[in-house]
Amino acid sequence: MTLAIMLSVLFLFLCSTPTISQNCSTYNPCGSYGYCDDDLNGNSVCTCKFWWTGTVCTEQSSSGIQVITLGVLVVVLIAVFYGLSIGCSIRRKRQQPKKEKPNLRINENNYANSNLKEVALTNVKESARFSSCFVAVLMVILTIIALIVKWLLIQPIHNELVKKYNVNNSLFYQREPICDIIDFKNFNMLTFPIACFAILIFIISSKRTSCLRNKFKGYIGPVIPLDFYVHIKRKFAAVVFAIIADELLSIVMEVITDNSSSDQGVIIVYLLRILSVLVIGLRYYPILSAAYMDTILALTCATFYAWLNFCVSVYHYSRCQSDFYPSNDNFDDTNGTELMTLFSFYGTGQNLVIIQVISDLPQYLCWSYILIKLPMLLVEKIYKWFQRKNGNRSRNLCLTREEKILLHSSVPHSVEMLYIRNLFRAKTQRSTTRWFLARLIPKMIYQWRDDYRFSSRIFSVYATVFLLLIFLTIQACILVVPYLSGMENTLQILVDAITQFNDVNKTQRDFPIPKLFLPYVLAILTAFVITTIQLLVLLGSIRRNLFQIYRGDVSEIPQRNKSNYLSYTTGNFHFAGYFIGYVIWGYILTATFAFIVYICIDAFITYGSVRFLENILKKIIPILLLIIFKQYLNNILARYVFLQHYGDILAINNRRILMIFLYFNFFLDAFLGFVSSIIRIIKSVIGGCLYMSRLDYSPMGRKLETFDAGFSAYCGFIHIEAVHRNPIMLAFASYVYGRMKAEQYVLNNSVSSTVITDKRKMKTYSSKASRKWYLAVLLIRNPSFVTLRKHILRNRQNEQIEELNPNVQRLSLTQNNYHRASLISEIDLQQIWQNNHVK
């Protein structure tokens, strides 16, 4: 309905809009409904708009009258369809029996309304803790100090280059000698060795959990930066990954510009880029691993290293490698032309300095959080160590980091236990979130749930992507806008070559290009908003798909298959990289598509009419109106003629009339099918551009979605995440492991060693018998579990192998043997139960 009304309004607007004539300046007889052109003899010739005709375009053609009539019929048909739908819905509500509303909860509602302010204030206080407010205040102070320091470091360079620009000298500044050490062939040789030394200290101080535990007293073990499948300190990890996004963007820009020297081969260049990425990862490795290890030594080293890295980063991106000002090291890349363009557009004042300082605000906020959080974690760890030392608790059970995370899953207030409790509750009986900001989000947009937490991997990937989008938007608005005025002439020549390839001698332009500033800025902002919305929708889809896999729903994600385990694992490897790449390309394609649309709209507004677009609309509007008319006519016939109870029941009504209609519709839809195939291709292209950043959406369709590498990576991520983060599995494993650790603690703290030995012997003998007893009881009470026993599964696998041999018997015989074996196993279990019961 909206599309039809917009097409009708657009047609009337275009037919009534006056034309700003570019030819026939002395005399224009064509009026507002035609274009005035000069022929070879110098006489004026009128080219009528749309469906106007006549010598001076004052008469309405028969095609125009038919299109207007069809448009009116479409509007009437749409109004009839929705009017009947509203009437049927009202009639259906009236036929339903009225339910009396109980007034039992009036007092409860009044009580709830009276205490609403108290509950809100309590949630606000719980959400905004003192530590969070303290960290936020310190972050703002530290960020302001860092921005001021960068301003002071950049200001001398800016003043020097402004003086050179005024006297037409080469625009570059001389770098300090320490910059050659900090940036030695794109490798930070000042902080990189320190990071490697810190990692070596962490490796020596960490203990092994499985391999050669008796060697070197268990020390010298591998150190991981973070556990991607848990939700412990995920905000800290996300902030670190957000800082890395800026350096990743610089590498991406180097790949796009391709400023490598000619003496280096392609393979060597890309190997150096890969090596630079690995160096970036090693530089931030100590910060992440220290937060995960959570030891005093690791946190102390990481705190000093983070402050050093931050100070070096501020100095490096101010005095050694600036965003706008070329140095003697990279002057040959542009010869100062980019800076000249920026000076001519933004001026030689403080605008460039302000832009450069403000563009680093997100990165400095992230650094401030890291620099404040690490000392707080260190102080907290030292305080707990003093508490344990004063408490004289020498017999504490030593647990690794992984064991502590697993045991936390069975705590009553954990996310996993809350998920299990909500399984036995109705949706209305679930407790609401205690986070005040989550209650402000409308449930129709996103419903916050306290029984689920996104993993550290999702937090890290999303932090990287959002910072990349912010940096891309800033760079696109700052660096490209000064070149738009020069691009207008080039784009006009290109458009004229496309629109006037049949008539080269035409002097009037069919598609005049407007000013590109406003369409470009709107396109960039539109791309940012659309990509952000798509990312938020994908975030909700990840949670929904994980819940579906938990309960065995395969309506959206393909069912897990054993033959695809390798594909799931490799797809899980590529998820983060594919996600970042797809988001960047989706952002670029959306910006390009929006830029084209905004240019067309701005051309209509500026010039009143665009002949090239009018010719396209003249061919498209009748076809679209005919398709919309046929669509709503079919809707009316389907609901009120060919379906029983006005479409509430999927049962055919008026069968004979339907057969006649299907016969004639067979020939009519052949033409509409051809047009629909073209529209299908156009929709696929537009949908692929807009949904490029959505890995859960495959433009190839349900049957071919496995050929989409992005969707395959998403499926692998979902399946691996569901297997390792299933709340029921984690809670059960945590409970069993906690009982085992509790028994070990009791045995280790026993007073008499003989008693310990006796208990261990008793435990050894009794545990084996009790396990068999429990297994027998479990299988008798659940006979369906018999088919999951090892020997049954082994026989099933052997039968599947024998099926490949053409000389074996048919499948039905193997199934009969399988059921016979299952029946015999159940009978044996019942006999074991009876014998044990008699004893």
Side-chain angles (χ1 to χ4, degrees), residues 6 66 95 140 409 458 475 495 501 557 607 791 794:
M6 289 177 62
Q66 293 172 9
Q95 289 179 353
V140 173
S409 299
I458 295 297
Q475 296 292 330
V495 171
F501 66 94
I557 302 298
Y607 300 103
H791 64 279
R794 192 180 299 111

Side-chain angles (χ1 to χ4, degrees), residues 5 17 37 90 178 231 234 302 330 348 371 375 418 455 475 479 496 511 573 601 622 653 669 683 690 776 783 811:
I5 294 174
T17 303
D37 296 324
I90 294 173
I178 194 174
H231 47 82
R234 48 185 185 159
N330 58 359
T348 57
L371 298 177
L418 182 59
S455 62
Q475 296 292 330
L479 299 179
D496 290 341
F511 197 136
F573 294 161
I601 295 174
N653 193 15
D669 282 345
K683 287 182 178 179
L690 297 179
L811 179 63

Side-chain angles (χ1 to χ4, degrees), residues 384-444:
K384 290 182 179 179
W385 179 76
F386 273 109
Q387 280 188 335
R388 288 196 301 268
K389 185 178 180 180
N390 296 329
N392 294 324
R393 290 180 290 177
S394 60
R395 295 181 180 179
N396 283 336
L397 189 62
C398 296
L399 299 175
T400 62
R401 183 67 168 169
E402 291 80 6
E403 291 175 338
K404 292 178 182 178
I405 295 173
L406 177 60
L407 293 176
H408 184 267
S409 299
S410 59
V411 176
H413 62 272
S414 65
V415 176
E416 291 79 9
M417 294 300 295
L418 182 59
Y419 175 83
I420 295 173
R421 287 194 294 269
N422 287 337
L423 290 177
F424 303 97
R425 297 173 181 172
K427 188 177 292 187
T428 57
Q429 296 177 350
R430 295 173 183 172
S431 59
T432 57
T433 178
R434 300 181 63 85
W435 194 36
F436 177 72
L437 296 178
R439 295 188 178 188
L440 300 179
I441 304 174
K443 292 184 179 180
M444 61 179 298

Side-chain angles (χ1 to χ4, degrees), residues 16-41:
S16 60
T17 303
T19 304
I20 299 176
S21 179
Q22 299 178 0
N23 286 330
C24 304
S25 57
T26 58
Y27 176 67
N28 183 12
C30 302
S32 59
Y33 302 123
Y35 296 99
C36 181
D37 296 324
D38 294 331
D39 57 7
L40 297 177
N41 297 326

Side-chain angles (χ1 to χ4, degrees), residues 6 27 47 81 93 99 131 183 204 214 245 251 268 282 293 295 355 371 422 443 507 536 578 648 833:
M6 289 177 62
Y27 176 67
T47 303
F81 174 75
K93 288 182 179 180
K99 297 181 179 180
S131 60
D183 193 8
I204 295 174
N214 297 326
I251 296 176
I268 299 299
L282 288 174
M293 292 174 63
T295 60
I355 291 173
L371 298 177
N422 287 337
K443 292 184 179 180
T507 58
L536 295 178
Y578 282 7
D648 293 338
W833 167 262

Side-chain angles (χ1 to χ4, degrees), residues 352-399:
L352 280 181
V353 179
I354 295 173
I355 291 173
Q356 189 170 359
V357 170
I358 293 178
S359 61
D360 290 333
L361 179 61
Q363 185 183 9
Y364 285 177
L365 282 173
C366 296
W367 266 115
S368 301
Y369 179 81
I370 298 298
L371 298 177
I372 295 169
K373 194 67 177 178
L374 282 174
M376 291 181 63
L377 294 175
L378 178 60
V379 172
E380 182 181 358
K381 194 66 180 178
I382 294 174
Y383 176 74
K384 290 182 179 179
W385 179 76
F386 273 109
Q387 280 188 335
R388 288 196 301 268
K389 185 178 180 180
N390 296 329
N392 294 324
R393 290 180 290 177
S394 60
R395 295 181 180 179
N396 283 336
L397 189 62
C398 296
L399 299 175

Side-chain angles (χ1 to χ4, degrees), residues 773-793:
W773 176 264
Y774 292 148
L775 177 62
V777 174
L778 175 66
L779 295 177
I780 289 173
R781 294 181 178 178
N782 302 276
S784 60
F785 288 171
V786 177
T787 59
L788 301 178
R789 297 281 290 157
K790 289 184 179 179
H791 64 279
I792 298 295
L793 295 176

Side-chain angles (χ1 to χ4, degrees), residues 153-162 173 318-319 322 325:
L153 292 174
I154 293 177
Q155 188 64 43
I157 298 176
H158 176 78
N159 296 333
E160 178 185 354
L161 294 179
V162 167
Y173 68 96
S318 300
R319 303 288 297 180
S322 179
Y325 308 118

